[in-house]
Amino acid sequence: MLIQFLNNEVIHFYSKMIHSIIHKCCHSKSLPPECCAFCNGNGPETLLDICFDYILTNLHTICEYELHYSENLRLRENVTLPVEICERLLYLRASRGLRLSPRFVSIFRDQLATKLKRVKLYNTDIDDDSLKILLQHRLISLDVSHSPLLTANSLKYITAFGGNLTSLSVGDNMNLFPASLFGQPYVIDRDYIILAPRLRRLSIRNSEILRPEFYMLLLKPLLNLTHLDLSNCSDLGDFHYILDLINLTSLILYNVNKLENLIPAICKLKNLRHLDISQSKDENGTYENPSKVLATIVESLPRLTSLDISGTNLAGSGVAERTEDCFGPYASDIPGLSSRVHNKFQFLGLYETQRGACFRHDIPAKLIAGNANEEQVLVAALAYLDRSDMLPRTRNKF
């Protein structure tokens, strides 16, 4: 019995060792495991995914027409779907390029048989009436970016049914926020664009036709915001209206024009932990006295753990500046960051910075997005996954 026990233990030991050798991954330790396809595994399609595929191509298995003369669908009698199934069904329908027609969305009209909490419909053909059906589930998260059929009418539905919304992404929807919005009674008679008292995350991207008055009116009632993304938005004015958002911890201003005019207001947001003022347009990334501007930002925002200055000249010339504090002399090859040598950033974006800042030494950051080596490129690819206008330049270097 003892020999058998020892044999079992030896077999168990070697099987564990072999398993660890086979499954050992060599990705950089500084990169999180969830970014590695090897660590996450690339197994075969699950049975659940196969079932979803079948249902999406054979809707009659769970649905029937509401009426004989109607094209709208509803679930069959005694069929009830939990929130996880409903959200996955909707997401897969959208992500695989199938139409989000009113006929399909009508399945979710019955709020007793279907449940929705988080809806992500990136780049779809959903319209106002279909969005209203989904919003009536009192969603907590909604992403309808790149949905060209949505109009300003959807703003009314977001206000009417968005009391539970904590995250809203409506980027790149020109018809949702048309230039004539201020001429409509919906806005003239009210002092808000949308009302969503619990909203904490808001993303509006690629809106180049809107004026500062719009952003002022939009943000005025959204005092609980902690994350704001205004990438590729133009004409933000002097940005003083942002100061009312005292809970803001993340601000993304990627490719915003005339950013130097916004710096004084940004420096007053003392709770900021993440700031992105990166550029892919060379003409917008040049500052006068760049090192001084960067030092002002960093010293004014002591809680920053993540900073992105990619595509700008804010990293300066690369000549290290030595300073002295209670810890003794210290220096950084990015002069504006010399105050952070003993308090490194968790993330620093230096991709395509002028004068090749990502190639320098003594950079006070644990993770760097750049193009100096493979690890920096991988970090950049992860950080800029949704920025097709930024990353293609990497192909010329590797």
Side-chain angles (χ1 to χ4, degrees):
M1 291 296 292
L2 179 60
I3 295 175
Q4 183 179 359
F5 172 78
L6 290 176
N7 286 337
N8 289 338
E9 287 298 305
V10 170
I11 293 171
H12 179 65
F13 170 80
Y14 279 106
S15 64
K16 283 182 65 178
M17 186 174 68
I18 293 171
H19 182 273
S20 64
I21 292 173
I22 293 175
H23 292 275
K24 185 177 181 181
C25 183
C26 297
H27 75 265
S28 172
K29 292 181 180 180
S30 61
L31 292 175
E34 57 268 20
C35 304
C36 179
F38 185 90
C39 290
N40 291 324
N42 290 310
E45 193 175 21
T46 65
L47 178 59
L48 185 61
D49 288 334
I50 294 173
C51 291
F52 274 119
D53 286 337
Y54 182 82
I55 291 173
L56 285 172
T57 53
N58 300 274
L59 287 175
H60 64 274
T61 56
I62 62 169
C63 297
E64 62 186 6
Y65 290 110
E66 286 185 337
L67 299 169
H68 292 296
Y69 53 84
S70 172
E71 293 187 354
N72 290 337
L73 295 172
R74 67 181 179 189
L75 291 181
R76 291 185 177 277
E77 189 176 357
N78 297 326
V79 174
T80 301
L81 301 180
V83 61
E84 296 83 3
I85 300 297
C86 290
E87 290 176 356
R88 185 71 175 163
L89 196 65
L90 190 60
Y91 172 76
L92 290 176
R93 174 84 179 190
S95 63
R96 297 182 184 182
L98 301 174
R99 281 199 65 209
L100 281 181
S101 61
R103 171 179 175 268
F104 173 79
V105 177
S106 63
I107 295 172
F108 304 96
R109 194 187 302 275
D110 186 350
Q111 297 176 33
L112 295 178
T114 60
K115 301 290 182 183
L116 292 169
K117 288 297 180 183
R118 297 173 178 84
V119 170
K120 186 174 183 179
L121 303 176
Y122 182 86
N123 194 22
T124 65
D125 57 358
I126 190 169
D127 59 19
D128 294 332
D129 292 335
S130 295
L131 181 60
K132 180 181 179 181
I133 292 174
L134 302 181
L135 282 167
Q136 286 176 334
H137 283 261
R138 306 292 177 174
L139 306 176
I140 62 175
S141 178
L142 174 65
D143 184 348
V144 285
S145 302
H146 301 273
S147 300
L149 298 185
L150 295 180
T151 71
N153 286 328
S154 288
L155 300 177
K156 295 185 291 186
Y157 302 144
I158 291 173
T159 294
F161 306 109
N164 291 333
L165 273 179
T166 60
S167 178
L168 176 63
S169 181
V170 291
D172 203 17
N173 287 333
M174 293 299 97
N175 295 326
L176 188 62
F177 301 117
S180 59
L181 184 63
F182 281 92
Q184 299 185 20
Y186 171 70
V187 175
I188 291 177
D189 297 341
R190 298 167 175 82
D191 58 350
Y192 60 84
I193 303 294
I194 59 171
L195 286 181
R198 297 185 181 181
L199 196 65
R200 298 177 66 82
R201 294 174 175 266
L202 175 64
S203 175
I204 299 178
R205 301 180 180 181
N206 304 313
S207 298
E208 299 182 353
I209 61 174
L210 300 173
R211 306 191 303 271
E213 294 81 6
F214 166 83
Y215 298 104
M216 189 183 307
L217 195 59
L218 173 70
L219 298 176
K220 183 179 178 180
L222 306 179
L223 299 180
N224 288 320
L225 279 185
T226 58
H227 295 70
L228 178 62
D229 184 350
L230 297 177
S231 297
N232 281 299
C233 292
S234 300
D235 197 9
L236 299 180
D238 60 11
F239 218 38
H240 69 277
Y241 46 87
I242 200 74
L243 300 181
D244 291 331
L245 304 180
I246 59 175
N247 298 310
L248 204 63
T249 59
S250 176
L251 179 61
I252 301 176
L253 300 174
Y254 168 63
N255 267 354
V256 170
N257 296 334
K258 301 178 180 178
L259 254 173
E260 197 160 4
N261 299 333
L262 281 57
I263 298 300
I266 293 173
C267 288
K268 295 179 181 179
L269 298 171
K270 300 300 181 181
N271 288 322
L272 272 189
R273 296 183 180 274
H274 170 64
L275 176 63
D276 185 342
I277 50 176
S278 58
Q279 293 282 343
S280 67
K281 304 173 183 177
D282 294 335
E283 64 273 16
N284 293 332
T286 303
Y287 293 76
E288 294 184 14
N289 303 315
S291 295
K292 183 179 180 181
V293 172
L294 181 58
T296 300
I297 294 172
V298 171
E299 293 170 11
S300 300
L301 303 173
R303 297 189 178 184
L304 274 186
T305 59
S306 171
L307 175 65
D308 201 330
I309 56 172
S310 298
T312 72
N313 69 337
L314 287 172
S317 62
V319 179
E321 289 187 358
R322 293 190 176 275
T323 318
E324 195 162 319
D325 65 2
C326 59
F327 296 99
Y330 60 94
S332 171
D333 286 343
I334 301 178
L337 299 182
S338 59
S339 64
R340 292 298 297 263
V341 169
H342 298 304
N343 182 21
K344 292 184 178 182
F345 289 100
Q346 294 293 324
F347 170 85
L348 183 62
L350 297 177
Y351 184 80
E352 290 288 345
T353 44
Q354 297 178 28
R355 298 178 180 265
C358 61
F359 289 88
R360 301 176 195 169
H361 302 284
D362 300 320
I363 300 175
K366 298 177 181 179
L367 279 180
I368 299 172
N371 49 336
N373 53 52
E374 182 181 357
E375 181 177 316
Q376 288 188 8
V377 172
L378 288 173
V379 173
L382 177 65
Y384 312 135
L385 195 60
D386 59 345
R387 298 181 181 180
S388 58
D389 55 343
M390 194 168 190
L391 285 177
R393 286 179 282 183
T394 305
R395 297 173 188 164
N396 299 327
K397 297 182 178 293
F398 294 91

